[in-house]
Amino acid sequence: MNRDTKFNVIRTTISILIALGISFVIIFLISEEPLEAIKQMITGPISRKRLFGNVIELTIPLIFTGLGVSIMFSAMQINLASEGAFHIGGVVAAVVALNLPMPGFIHPYVAILFAGLVGALFTFIPAILKIKTTANEIVSSLMLNYIALFFANYILNYYLRDPGAGSVASFPLPASSKLTSIISGTNIHIGLIIALLFTAGAYIFLYKSKMGYMIRVAGQNEDFARFSGIDILKVILISQIIGGFIAGMGGGIQLLGLYRRFTWTALLGYGWDAIIVATLSKNNPLYVPISAFFLAYIRIGADIMSRSTDVTPEIVSITQGTIIILIVAKQFLAKYKHKMVAKEAKSNIDAEGVE
Amino acid sequence: MTVFEILFSADFLRVILRVTTPILFATLAGAVSSRSGIFNIALEGIMLLAALIGVIFSALLSSAWLGLLVAVIFGGLVGLFLGFLVLNFKTDDILAGIAINLMAAGGTIFLLFLVSGDRGVSSTIDSLTLPNVNIPIIQNIPFLGRVLSGHNVLTYFVFISVFLMHMFMYKTPLGLKIRAVGENPHAAESVGINVHKIQYIALALSGVLSGFGGAFLSMGYLSYFTTNMTAGRGFIGLAANAMGRSTPIGGMLVALLFGTADAMANVFQTGIDIPYELIQMLPYITVIVGLSAFSYSRMKKKERQIEE
């Protein structure tokens, strides 16, 4: 393990520990039964198969949006439309599932493909606007998320809605469109395998392909990339399209894996969560499943805690925010890194001296 | 009423001023921070926090004004916290802002539950609202009185703030320093300006303005706090600021444009043949189209300048 990797691992671990520590202190301050609450949070998810299943089920969408954001952020484009891409991916998958009858072995995959394509179109918009008009992609992507929400509401109310459903929901999704469960006793579906395949694919793309290399160079140093003859505009567009495709697919997979009907009338937040995942992973797809699992674990843990104790699950938001801040903060542990480098240099000199 | 009659009715214009108020606070908050060189995406979360803090403290201190004061101070403190993260801790401003927003979204529910035992609405808290103000003389003028008089006190304050902010930015030494720091921190430093100090001040001010916007939502626009009640208004404010090129008056005009789109979405909930969901998109589409058009014209202008 080289020095930077080692330092990053230490830093990430310490960040997580501090963030959890802060949350535990808050639990101690407000709860009547803090030890029970913390125990529930930490051991709850592994206490029953079904609960651990919930962790994996939540990991799946986080992997997809996490991969999408990692690729988009690698090009230094702060495109926040993965939230909308995920949402619109869900509604597109519902449309395909309900309106295009197909045999079961192909139905969900066609729906997911369409979800991905529309997701790609979605994150393409802020990128092309930035390139053609210099409009700030942060602002336009934030606005697009709301457009995705209302557009999905429109499709749901006017084309998919089952008047007999009681609440606002689409007609039931046909069995042929659902993703198969892969582990009995849980709702873990084949989306997990797709997620891991895409993780590998995204890693190879970003770290082993020429295009991936160009994306990363453009993200790290745009001027250098331009002087090296990299077509920045093309690189930006491709990275944003691929990122949106994966996020949109994630929305479709989430719907067809876990829902009986399309019922999303509010943004679900996986796009924002993805920023935590991408931050924890340092935009490296290889670490995305681990980060997504970690996030899902503390979420489900907090949920379990809130069911049996007096602490609300939103305590997790404090943990998450702290983690992002500590990991992104360049100054955090900078002195330690400095010492580590100095120590290494010194020992190198000493070693040479002996020779 | 026909669409035309609605659009030129006093009530519609009145709604525009009302819905523009929180957006305009956010726009001004965005202006002062981006002028100092920091993108304050956290103002969405600061507004949300301030909305809840205002409700809680107005009930606790039995005074809407003191509730507002605490909310605004709190907003300023979060602004300073963002400053600490960005300036001392060297955190990327966007990611730090997103972190604050995520913490605010969950933290407000957490706090609301702690105080009221409810996770959705603050209706069990006996919070107070800021008064509406009738303007003498104007209130008696038929059409104008209906449009301009009887608004919440913060609605008047936000439009006064536009003017104050304009004066502050362009006529005071501190405003000049903020602009200098944002345009070129190294040059500012070389003439002896303490860059970090100026940015801290700008972010505190940005937080205070966001605090006003949040307090308006829960103590004027509505009389209670609901989870996620900002609903992207902070983001719209950032967009308005981007389109208004960080000038208070330009930002105000854009905010009014968004307010109009928002008011139309409110007014046309019924009685028109377009689905409501599509009308709800209107403010957001307006932002994207407007921002792109403005950015495009600015880009072309720059290109022409370079050619000359």
Side-chain angles (χ1 to χ4, degrees):
Chain A
M1 209 189 286
N2 71 33
R3 191 209 309 137
D4 276 349
T5 321
K6 193 172 149 196
F7 175 69
N8 277 332
V9 171
I10 293 172
R11 216 174 92 108
T12 306
T13 313
I14 294 179
S15 302
I16 290 172
L17 289 177
I18 291 178
L20 285 173
I22 291 174
S23 312
F24 293 160
V25 168
I26 296 174
I27 291 175
F28 263 98
L29 290 176
I30 59 147
S31 176
E32 300 280 328
E33 33 180 0
L35 287 174
E36 177 61 20
I38 291 169
K39 188 186 145 223
Q40 289 284 342
M41 186 173 170
I42 294 174
T43 64
I46 44 171
S47 63
R48 282 200 214 112
K49 187 180 180 187
R50 186 179 56 81
L51 295 174
F52 191 73
N54 290 343
V55 175
I56 303 296
E57 287 149 29
L58 179 56
T59 306
I60 298 169
L62 294 176
I63 292 179
F64 282 106
T65 50
L67 289 175
V69 167
S70 294
I71 293 174
M72 292 196 282
F73 279 22
S74 288
M76 237 10 219
Q77 294 298 299
I78 313 298
N79 190 334
L80 303 173
S82 53
E83 178 81 39
F86 187 91
H87 200 86
I88 216 147
V91 77
V92 167
V95 169
V96 175
L98 287 165
N99 293 308
L100 297 177
M102 263 175 270
F105 66 92
I106 188 171
H107 200 178
Y109 303 103
V110 174
I112 291 164
L113 179 69
F114 273 99
L117 290 174
V118 177
L121 179 71
F122 206 71
T123 49
F124 168 77
I125 298 171
I128 193 76
L129 288 179
K130 166 120 180 227
I131 289 169
K132 294 289 176 195
T133 76
T134 69
N136 183 322
E137 82 278 13
I138 304 173
V139 172
S140 58
S141 60
L142 284 171
M143 297 297 107
L144 273 170
N145 290 338
Y146 292 95
I147 294 175
L149 169 65
F150 295 125
F151 184 72
N153 283 352
Y154 166 69
I155 300 286
L156 172 59
N157 279 324
Y158 282 80
Y159 298 101
L160 306 177
R161 186 159 175 184
D162 180 357
S167 58
V168 181
S170 74
F171 285 98
L173 301 168
S176 64
S177 70
K178 299 300 296 287
L179 290 169
T180 21
S181 287
I182 51 172
I183 297 172
S184 65
T186 71
N187 292 321
I188 299 173
H189 50 84
I190 203 160
L192 177 65
I193 294 169
I194 306 174
L196 295 176
L197 287 174
F198 267 82
T199 301
Y203 173 73
I204 293 167
F205 169 72
L206 210 49
Y207 282 85
K208 305 286 171 194
S209 80
K210 196 179 162 203
M211 178 49 77
Y213 176 74
M214 291 197 290
I215 289 174
R216 286 183 297 122
V217 171
Q220 274 156 17
N221 191 337
E222 204 178 308
D223 290 331
F224 175 75
R226 195 168 283 129
F227 286 125
S228 322
I230 291 176
D231 183 348
I232 304 265
L233 303 185
K234 190 175 138 195
V235 161
I236 289 178
L237 280 181
I238 289 180
S239 59
Q240 305 310 296
I241 287 171
I242 292 179
F245 183 85
I246 298 179
M249 258 183 54
I253 287 174
Q254 177 75 351
L255 183 79
L256 301 177
L258 292 177
Y259 288 78
R260 290 199 185 88
R261 302 162 184 265
F262 181 80
T263 53
W264 304 353
T265 51
L267 292 170
L268 302 180
Y270 294 115
W272 291 109
D273 295 339
I275 294 166
I276 310 172
V277 173
T279 307
L280 268 171
S281 316
K282 299 227 169 252
N283 296 340
N284 184 338
L286 219 47
Y287 303 134
V288 163
I290 306 167
S291 311
F293 174 78
F294 167 73
L295 195 61
Y297 192 96
I298 60 168
R299 285 271 173 86
I300 299 293
D303 248 359
I304 297 167
M305 168 181 73
S306 72
R307 276 179 237 159
S308 57
T309 67
D310 55 351
V311 185
T312 43
E314 283 77 18
I315 182 88
V316 173
S317 66
I318 313 282
T319 323
Q320 293 166 358
T322 317
I323 290 177
I324 296 188
I325 289 167
L326 291 180
I327 289 185
V328 179
K330 290 199 187 84
Q331 276 316 100
F332 178 59
L333 296 183
K335 275 187 187 144
Y336 172 79
K337 185 175 186 182
H338 185 77
K339 269 186 200 154
M340 203 161 101
V341 174
K343 199 174 144 194
E344 198 179 280
K346 196 162 173 282
S347 66
N348 283 347
I349 293 166
D350 290 348
E352 277 166 23
V354 171
E355 282 164 17
Chain B
M1 269 206 287
T2 65
V3 170
F4 188 78
E5 277 169 347
I6 291 174
L7 290 182
F8 288 92
S9 69
D11 280 338
F12 181 70
L13 298 176
R14 189 179 173 74
V15 172
I16 292 179
L17 294 182
R18 190 174 136 86
V19 299
T20 301
T21 304
I23 297 173
L24 187 48
F25 273 122
T27 309
L28 294 175
V32 64
S33 62
S34 63
R35 277 289 179 180
S36 81
I38 294 172
F39 195 85
N40 183 7
I41 198 175
L43 63 86
E44 171 84 12
I46 299 178
M47 281 174 81
L48 191 62
L49 283 165
L52 179 59
I53 296 284
V55 160
I56 292 174
F57 279 86
S58 74
L60 219 58
L61 305 171
S62 327
S63 157
W65 292 107
L66 290 177
L68 173 70
L69 182 70
V70 178
V72 164
I73 291 173
F74 189 81
L77 289 176
V78 182
L80 288 175
F81 177 61
L82 178 67
F84 170 75
L85 295 179
V86 174
L87 302 173
N88 294 68
F89 230 43
K90 305 281 178 232
T91 312
D92 175 79
D93 54 352
I94 309 285
L95 288 172
I98 290 173
I100 290 177
N101 288 342
L102 286 168
M103 287 202 269
T108 46
I109 301 177
F110 182 75
L111 194 59
L112 179 63
F113 180 77
L114 210 61
V115 179
S116 73
D118 193 292
R119 287 178 54 194
V121 194
S122 72
S123 42
T124 56
I125 303 173
D126 291 322
S127 63
L128 303 165
T129 52
L130 294 158
N132 292 341
V133 178
N134 287 317
I135 311 173
I137 303 171
I138 289 182
Q139 64 170 317
N140 297 322
I141 304 173
F143 186 83
L144 214 58
R146 182 85 193 113
V147 177
L148 294 179
S149 184
H151 281 286
N152 188 277
V153 61
L154 287 185
T155 299
Y156 299 110
F157 179 66
V158 79
F159 285 97
I160 296 169
S161 301
V162 172
F163 174 74
L164 293 177
M165 189 67 126
H166 180 82
M167 299 303 284
F168 172 71
M169 288 282 213
Y170 297 100
K171 309 283 178 203
T172 66
L174 185 56
L176 176 73
K177 279 182 191 165
I178 289 178
R179 287 186 295 133
V181 164
E183 260 163 43
N184 191 336
H186 300 299
E189 203 167 3
S190 70
V191 294
I193 296 175
N194 184 339
V195 173
H196 277 196
K197 187 177 136 197
I198 297 295
Q199 287 177 318
Y200 263 116
I201 293 172
L203 282 175
L205 190 55
S206 180
V208 163
L209 287 161
S210 312
F212 274 113
F216 172 76
L217 285 175
S218 62
M219 302 169 72
Y221 192 77
L222 297 177
S223 58
Y224 48 84
F225 174 87
T226 65
T227 52
N228 197 22
M229 76 186 307
T230 44
R233 287 188 179 85
F235 297 145
I236 292 194
L238 283 173
N241 172 56
M243 235 169 106
R245 301 173 64 179
S246 299
T247 61
I249 291 172
M252 175 184 75
L253 296 176
V254 184
L256 278 167
L257 176 70
F258 298 159
T260 307
D262 201 0
M264 280 168 82
N266 274 330
V267 171
F268 292 138
Q269 282 187 33
T270 52
I272 192 167
D273 252 0
I274 305 168
Y276 178 51
E277 293 83 356
L278 297 184
I279 293 174
Q280 277 180 301
M281 289 185 201
L282 203 63
Y284 304 98
I285 293 175
T286 311
V287 173
I288 294 182
V289 173
L291 178 67
S292 307
F294 272 68
S295 307
Y296 184 75
S297 70
R298 199 163 80 212
M299 182 178 83
K300 286 288 163 199
K301 206 169 157 187
K302 260 188 197 157
E303 279 173 13
R304 275 200 302 275
Q305 278 170 354
I306 291 168
E307 278 165 21
E308 281 160 16

